[in-house]
């Protein structure tokens, strides 16, 4: 009884639970999270990761990623500034403590777009997020979407498809994710993710409307 009261009290003090969005490259993570950020202004905040990959046309430094060199990233990791970091398709990616803290400071639901290595690392922290994985309806649809996106070279595309196969298998591991959302029709997938997050969304809206 008391334990339950205290655990609820402290989890409320800790602010809203973050959300991990994972899943194969091309599954639709960025598309879904951008919709959430747009439709729920003042509710969600994006954890801006660091990466050594080059920016794509239209991507902004500090908004989509912090674009850094390998040397800069490694030095920052060595200084203990990252919650987690991983190598994906030959590039380094990582979540800095500062990126998550910046979102927490605003009392927003922090969205982390991270790969499976990141998911495993976050499991060893006290972030306590909701773990969501986005899957494509099939590998052939995934390939088509990645090709149509026109952001990858043939080599990078193949690396992403290889990683996707592994990713889809590992995601079946019991307990790794709270929810699997198949992104076939975008609107349907968006409705599903909102359903999963509605409790946290309403919590933040309630706090914001009373402050
Ligand atoms: N572990 C980890 N993975 C990340 C991070 N940021 C992005 N990723 C993952 O890196 C992979 C490649 O991301 P990106 O180059 O933006 O390609 P995209 O997913 O195809 O748009 C995706 O699986 C992301 O979820 C991070 O900070 N940590
Ligand atoms: N349900 C969908 N139907 C058709 N195309 C989609 C759908 N969801 C996403 N896309 C498109 O597929 C591509 C990959 O989506 P993206 O959000 O970049 O994936 P991720 O962030 O997981 O790599 C993008 O060009 C996006 O516009």
């Amino acid at each position: 009884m008391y334990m339950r009261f205290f655990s609820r009290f402290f989890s409320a003090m800790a602010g809203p639970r973050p959300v991990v969005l994972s899943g194969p490259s091309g599954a639709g993570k960025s598309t879904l999270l951008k919709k959430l950020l747009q439709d729920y202004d003042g509710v969600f905040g994006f954890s801006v990761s660091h990466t050594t990959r080059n920016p794509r046309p239209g991507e902004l430094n500090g908004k989509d990623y912090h674009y850094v060199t390998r040397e800069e990233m490694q030095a920052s990791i060595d200084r203990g500034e990252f919650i987690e970091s991983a190598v994906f398709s030959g590039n380094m990616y990582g979540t800095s403590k500062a990126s998550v803290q910046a979102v927490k400071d605003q009392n927003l639901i922090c969205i982390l777009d991270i790969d499976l290595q990141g998911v495993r690392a976050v499991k060893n922290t006290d972030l306590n997020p909701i773990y969501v994985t986005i899957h494509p309806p099939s590998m052939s649809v995934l390939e088509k979407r990645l090709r149509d996106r026109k952001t990858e070279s043939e080599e990078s595309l193949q690396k992403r498809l290889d990683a996707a196969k592994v990713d889809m298998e590992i995601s079946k591991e019991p307990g790794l994710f709270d929810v699997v959302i198949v992104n076939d029709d975008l609107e349907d997938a968006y409705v599903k993710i909102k359903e999963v997050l509605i409790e946290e969304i309403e919590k933040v809206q309630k706090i914001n409307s009373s402050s």
Side-chain angles (χ1 to χ4, degrees):
M1 167 72 184
Y2 284 115
M3 281 304 285
R4 201 158 68 196
F5 170 79
F6 281 117
S7 88
R8 282 203 182 152
F9 177 76
F10 284 115
S11 76
M13 290 284 292
R17 285 178 76 189
V19 179
V20 160
L21 273 194
S22 197
S25 165
K29 302 177 297 293
S30 317
T31 307
L32 287 165
L33 78 85
K34 280 185 182 148
K35 273 172 88 69
L36 286 171
L37 290 167
Q38 219 167 48
D39 293 352
Y40 292 93
D41 190 29
V43 172
F44 290 101
F46 182 50
S47 156
V48 181
S49 294
H50 284 60
T51 185
T52 60
R53 83 150 160 79
N54 291 325
R56 296 172 184 154
E59 286 186 343
L60 293 175
N61 191 20
K63 184 167 178 275
D64 296 285
Y65 281 105
H66 298 288
Y67 300 95
V68 289
T69 63
R70 283 186 162 265
E71 292 69 30
E72 285 167 335
M73 180 117 183
Q74 194 54 57
S76 188
I77 292 169
D78 293 345
R79 287 194 298 270
E81 292 168 4
F82 279 78
I83 293 172
E84 61 80 31
S85 64
V87 173
F88 180 89
S89 186
N91 290 302
M92 292 168 84
Y93 294 84
T95 309
S96 72
K97 292 176 182 169
S99 291
V100 171
Q101 196 57 47
V103 179
K104 279 196 163 182
D105 287 347
Q106 300 173 75
N107 255 315
L108 302 175
I109 301 171
C110 181
I111 307 183
L112 295 94
D113 176 346
I114 55 176
D115 81 332
L116 270 182
Q117 303 166 76
V119 170
R120 293 206 191 277
V122 165
K123 295 236 167 189
N124 293 320
T125 69
D126 59 2
L127 274 183
N128 187 31
I130 300 170
Y131 293 93
V132 181
T133 183
I134 310 295
H135 282 188
S138 67
M139 283 302 291
S140 56
V141 169
L142 182 75
E143 179 166 353
K144 182 173 185 325
R145 285 184 190 166
L146 269 179
R147 285 192 186 281
D148 289 350
R149 195 172 73 183
K150 294 185 165 58
T151 52
E152 309 309 315
S153 64
E154 190 56 33
E155 190 198 351
S156 161
L157 195 111
Q158 288 307 329
K159 278 189 186 165
R160 277 155 204 270
L161 291 175
D162 289 345
K165 282 181 206 137
V166 179
D167 202 311
M168 302 278 281
E169 272 309 305
I170 295 179
S171 306
K172 292 181 192 154
E173 195 179 298
L176 191 56
F177 288 99
D178 297 311
V179 205
V180 180
I181 294 178
V182 178
N183 177 20
D184 191 350
D185 176 78
L186 184 61
E187 274 315 307
D188 289 351
Y190 187 52
V191 166
K192 281 193 194 122
I193 197 162
K194 283 192 290 187
E195 274 169 13
V196 171
L197 305 179
I198 194 66
E199 207 176 300
E200 296 303 310
I201 292 173
E202 286 178 349
K203 243 191 252 171
V204 174
Q205 285 174 332
K206 213 159 132 188
I207 294 167
N208 289 356
S209 67
S210 64
S211 63

